[in-house]
Amino acid sequence: MAERAHALSTIDGYSGYGAEQGEKKLRAAIAATYYADLGIEDSDIFVSDGAKCDISRLQVLFGSNVTIAVQDPSYPAYVDSSVIMGQTDLYQQDVQKYGNIEYMRCGPENGFFPDLSTVPRTDIIFFCSPNNPTGAAASRDQLTKLVKFAKDNGSIIVYDSAYAMYISDDSPKSIFEIPGAKEVAIETASFSKYAGFTGVRLGWTVVPKELLFSDGHPVAKDFNRIVCTCFNGASNIAQAGGLACLSPDGLKAMQDVVGFYKENTEIIVETFTSLGFNVYGAKNAPYVWVHFPGRNSWDVFAEILEKANVVTTPGTGFGPGGEGFVRVSAFGHRENIIEAARRLKQLYK
Amino acid sequence: MAERAHALSTIDGYSGYGAEQGEKKLRAAIAATYYADLGIEDSDIFVSDGAKCDISRLQVLFGSNVTIAVQDPSYPAYVDSSVIMGQTDLYQQDVQKYGNIEYMRCGPENGFFPDLSTVPRTDIIFFCSPNNPTGAAASRDQLTKLVKFAKDNGSIIVYDSAYAMYISDDSPKSIFEIPGAKEVAIETASFSKYAGFTGVRLGWTVVPKELLFSDGHPVAKDFNRIVCTCFNGASNIAQAGGLACLSPDGLKAMQDVVGFYKENTEIIVETFTSLGFNVYGAKNAPYVWVHFPGRNSWDVFAEILEKANVVTTPGTGFGPGGEGFVRVSAFGHRENIIEAARRLKQLYK
């Protein structure tokens, strides 16, 4: 990235407005690295300034007159962008849900995968796997069911795979590993959690040509129009960083980063299990989802913050299904993780 | 920017998710550089990845149920984002306009400023000054009328000042130079045309606390919600570039860049006037708006492209009011501008 920044000050290295969809080389590298043999082409890849931004651009694509389903709990941007776009009814304080959103409860009781036979049809299904906050990765069998459910209902899945590189078992790392997914799914992904690019801002979204609206019009054509009208491409310097990430050295460095945080995850898991807590997630994600049965998640958050000076995230920040849980993140320096573990053991011994 | 990129690889210099509204230092530098004595505070500044992106975020803020007015001709993003948000009726082929948009004709006959007494009220008024493509900068008197018009009608002005540093005369460089503007206007701006940041992606939008919706709710609060939900801030490396731009050396470099393109503009103006064409703009903008009375602007564009191998932009690309004009851009290497001038003199001698 430093080289690219320097090059911008030279006649040969300067570049102005680039392709809104991203630089060709980077689109090709993403397709080759993450979607080889999955039938995804370079031109299906839209490089972006991050998954959060693309989720909102997708919401602009869908408009205000659609129904959506989300995992409960899930990353708040799906619900919040839905509210902003005017897709929802009013907030219902008693159930802590917005009207006109289908909350698909995902908890230990159902293996963190909804019983789809009880889920009503919606136009759009947001599905994050590995899930933030629960850390649960859907299995091949579960995703096959999800794709069939979407196909049967004429729904579009927005599949958020921002944590895919954290998968340790044989869970699919892309929805497009599932046969037929290209006709029902969009996938959004990010360099944030692989290369520490949260502040650099770089991600991508895959909109396969095979995905059509019910009138036969390709979704990618409309998304391309939105990308060109509402976005001018990710920073060229950040895109140079993306290309570096996908070089052999970069891939190795990202794997090392992911491996480091997975070691942190193990420390966190060991800490809470040794204290007798049930923990979930962790295996395929940088998050540990810790159960405090019967307790208010904000109370637990406050207790840990005030008594151990450790920051967690209250589960209900991700939806009513997060009640009784806190999310513990593995993103931290090793010495801080070890110190947090020590204090938690003190607090809950 | 190279330094910041390098710093990201160090423990002390690494930064992850920043404030969605931009880094404090940069917000302060923008406020101090461009809005000193105008009553704009650091916290009114929202740093962005460019004006185009902020225009769409503003459209998401306004929603589908508003009416808009645009200058005709104008930068296409206002109309296109309005269409995408569903604010408009169908395209009317005969007049080359979308229904439910008020096109405020701006041409030589009215000094490129609309007769506001003939303009119906709309909720939102997009106003670009200096204008892309006509190069016209509105005078203090004209902007005072515009602010009064908006105030009388309860309209919000979205003022695009992306070319403000190109102003040579005493036209205001910010809408906030007009008394009362803080109660009716949002201003969006960019580093693209001052520092060649078109590919780096950095701009800002000013939403003054004084700007309220009709129910008394501050517009800035809702815009902040959208920025936090639909955007995660501009790239930290690009923000370092913005800070460098606003240092004494950076300001001098930007003034040099602007001065260089203004010399290009003079060459283009001399070329067309020597050939007997009427030209507009130029004085306060990097664009020359050349009149080809009675001719179709796409035909002129094709003629210049095919016979002189020079690229201009057909006026109707900016709205029906651009018929009979082409926009000639001063953004180019000096030798290319001189060569283009030579060929144009050959073509139209």
Side-chain angles (χ1 to χ4, degrees):
Chain A
M1 290 191 284
E3 280 171 19
R4 180 69 174 263
H6 271 303
L8 289 176
S9 66
T10 66
I11 289 183
D12 285 346
Y14 178 75
S15 62
Y17 289 119
E20 292 90 344
Q21 305 83 358
E23 297 176 4
K24 276 190 175 185
K25 268 189 184 178
L26 181 55
R27 299 173 84 185
I30 291 169
T33 305
Y34 294 108
Y35 304 101
D37 306 322
L38 298 182
I40 298 296
E41 297 174 16
D42 303 1
S43 55
D44 298 330
I45 311 283
F46 294 81
V47 176
S48 80
D49 58 334
K52 184 190 255 191
C53 311
D54 263 352
I55 287 161
S56 273
R57 281 187 284 266
L58 288 169
Q59 291 282 29
V60 170
L61 171 71
F62 301 139
S64 55
N65 200 19
V66 295
T67 51
I68 74 160
V70 296
Q71 290 153 295
D72 177 25
S74 69
Y75 177 51
Y78 317 130
V79 166
D80 290 353
S81 60
S82 176
V83 171
I84 284 173
M85 283 302 295
Q87 296 166 353
T88 63
D89 291 336
L90 290 179
Y91 188 68
Q92 299 157 351
Q93 192 66 50
D94 53 339
V95 289
Q96 298 183 51
K97 295 179 181 179
Y98 285 93
N100 207 35
I101 289 186
E102 185 57 33
Y103 291 74
M104 303 183 294
R105 181 63 71 100
C106 297
E109 70 284 0
N110 58 11
F112 294 96
F113 189 81
D115 177 0
L116 294 173
S117 70
T118 68
V119 175
R121 180 203 176 277
T122 59
D123 298 311
I124 312 296
I125 302 166
F126 286 96
F127 198 92
C128 180
S129 179
N131 179 271
N132 177 7
T134 68
S139 69
R140 194 169 305 269
D141 183 52
Q142 288 170 335
L143 290 181
T144 302
K145 284 182 185 144
L146 182 67
V147 166
K148 182 177 186 307
F149 179 73
K151 191 162 284 186
D152 289 349
N153 286 328
S155 307
I156 292 176
I157 299 166
V158 177
Y159 189 80
D160 186 339
S161 67
Y163 299 93
M165 277 184 78
Y166 288 83
I167 292 176
S168 303
D169 62 17
D170 62 351
S171 303
K173 292 185 177 173
S174 164
I175 187 76
F176 300 118
E177 292 184 35
I178 308 301
K182 283 201 287 290
E183 284 117 64
V184 296
I186 292 166
E187 180 165 300
T188 188
S190 170
F191 287 96
S192 286
K193 310 308 190 297
Y194 308 161
F197 268 26
T198 48
V200 171
R201 312 302 310 137
L202 195 69
W204 70 90
T205 287
V206 185
V207 189
K209 282 172 201 63
E210 292 84 347
L211 180 65
L212 308 176
F213 286 118
S214 54
D215 66 357
H217 186 82
V219 173
K221 279 205 172 184
D222 281 11
F223 188 63
N224 185 60
R225 192 76 182 89
I226 284 171
V227 164
C228 292
T229 304
C230 308
F231 183 53
N232 247 329
S235 176
N236 45 22
I237 300 171
Q239 292 193 63
L243 259 183
C245 285
L246 300 179
S247 70
D249 281 356
L251 287 167
K252 171 75 172 57
M254 290 199 296
Q255 278 149 10
D256 288 351
V257 163
V258 167
F260 176 84
Y261 290 127
K262 290 185 80 69
E263 288 171 9
N264 281 355
T265 308
E266 284 167 23
I267 295 169
I268 298 166
V269 167
E270 187 278 328
T271 302
F272 282 100
T273 50
S274 75
L275 292 166
F277 291 97
N278 283 325
V279 304
Y280 303 94
K283 189 170 62 171
N284 294 319
Y287 298 127
V288 184
W289 188 237
V290 186
H291 203 181
F292 291 80
R295 292 201 59 192
N296 175 294
S297 69
W298 277 97
D299 288 348
V300 176
F301 160 78
E303 176 176 277
I304 296 175
L305 177 66
E306 288 165 14
K307 298 195 176 160
N309 290 335
V310 170
V311 178
T312 60
T313 312
T316 51
F318 302 92
E323 187 58 286
F325 290 87
V326 296
R327 188 193 75 172
V328 184
S329 167
F331 292 124
H333 296 293
R334 179 63 46 84
E335 62 268 31
N336 291 343
I337 299 288
I338 290 169
E339 173 63 16
R342 193 190 62 75
R343 294 188 199 168
L344 286 162
K345 283 186 177 174
Q346 188 102 18
L347 175 60
Y348 290 119
K349 71 185 170 193
Chain B
M1 291 191 284
E3 280 169 20
R4 181 70 174 264
H6 271 303
L8 289 177
S9 67
T10 67
I11 288 182
D12 285 347
Y14 178 76
S15 60
Y17 289 118
E20 292 90 343
Q21 305 84 358
E23 296 175 4
K24 275 191 176 184
K25 269 190 181 174
L26 181 55
R27 300 173 84 184
I30 291 170
T33 305
Y34 295 108
Y35 304 101
D37 306 322
L38 298 182
I40 299 296
E41 298 174 18
D42 304 1
S43 55
D44 298 329
I45 311 281
F46 294 81
V47 176
S48 80
D49 57 337
K52 184 190 256 191
C53 311
D54 263 352
I55 287 161
S56 273
R57 281 187 283 266
L58 288 168
Q59 291 283 29
V60 170
L61 171 71
F62 301 141
S64 56
N65 200 20
V66 297
T67 52
I68 74 160
V70 296
Q71 292 154 295
D72 177 25
S74 69
Y75 176 51
Y78 316 131
V79 167
D80 291 352
S81 59
S82 177
V83 171
I84 285 173
M85 283 302 295
Q87 296 165 353
T88 64
D89 291 335
L90 290 180
Y91 187 69
Q92 300 157 351
Q93 193 65 48
D94 53 337
V95 291
Q96 297 183 50
K97 294 178 180 179
Y98 284 93
N100 206 34
I101 289 187
E102 185 57 33
Y103 290 75
M104 304 183 293
R105 181 63 70 102
C106 297
E109 70 284 359
N110 59 11
F112 294 95
F113 189 82
D115 177 1
L116 294 173
S117 71
T118 68
V119 175
R121 180 205 176 277
T122 58
D123 298 310
I124 312 297
I125 302 167
F126 285 95
F127 199 92
C128 180
S129 180
N131 179 271
N132 177 8
T134 69
S139 69
R140 193 168 307 272
D141 183 51
Q142 288 170 334
L143 289 181
T144 303
K145 283 181 185 144
L146 182 67
V147 165
K148 181 177 186 307
F149 179 73
K151 191 162 284 184
D152 290 348
N153 286 327
S155 307
I156 292 176
I157 299 166
V158 177
Y159 190 80
D160 185 339
S161 68
Y163 299 93
M165 277 184 79
Y166 286 83
I167 291 176
S168 303
D169 64 17
D170 63 351
S171 304
K173 292 186 177 171
S174 164
I175 187 77
F176 300 118
E177 292 184 35
I178 309 301
K182 283 200 287 289
E183 284 118 64
V184 296
I186 291 166
E187 181 165 299
T188 187
S190 171
F191 286 97
S192 287
K193 311 308 191 299
Y194 308 161
F197 269 25
T198 48
V200 171
R201 311 303 310 140
L202 195 69
W204 70 90
T205 287
V206 186
V207 188
K209 282 174 201 59
E210 293 85 346
L211 179 64
L212 308 176
F213 286 116
S214 54
D215 65 357
H217 185 81
V219 173
K221 280 206 171 182
D222 281 10
F223 188 63
N224 185 61
R225 192 74 180 88
I226 284 171
V227 164
C228 293
T229 304
C230 308
F231 183 54
N232 246 330
S235 175
N236 45 22
I237 300 172
Q239 292 193 65
L243 259 182
C245 285
L246 300 178
S247 70
D249 282 354
L251 287 166
K252 171 74 172 57
M254 291 200 295
Q255 277 150 10
D256 289 349
V257 163
V258 167
F260 176 84
Y261 289 126
K262 291 185 80 69
E263 289 170 9
N264 281 354
T265 309
E266 284 167 25
I267 295 169
I268 297 166
V269 166
E270 188 277 328
T271 301
F272 282 100
T273 49
S274 76
L275 293 166
F277 292 97
N278 283 324
V279 303
Y280 302 94
K283 189 169 64 173
N284 295 319
Y287 298 126
V288 186
W289 189 236
V290 186
H291 203 180
F292 290 78
R295 294 200 60 192
N296 174 293
S297 70
W298 276 98
D299 288 347
V300 176
F301 160 77
E303 175 176 277
I304 297 175
L305 178 65
E306 288 164 14
K307 298 192 176 164
N309 290 336
V310 169
V311 177
T312 61
T313 313
T316 50
F318 302 94
E323 188 56 286
F325 291 87
V326 295
R327 186 192 77 171
V328 184
S329 166
F331 291 123
H333 297 294
R334 180 62 48 81
E335 61 269 30
N336 292 344
I337 299 287
I338 289 170
E339 173 62 17
R342 192 190 64 75
R343 294 187 198 169
L344 287 161
K345 283 187 177 172
Q346 187 102 16
L347 175 62
Y348 290 118
K349 70 182 171 195

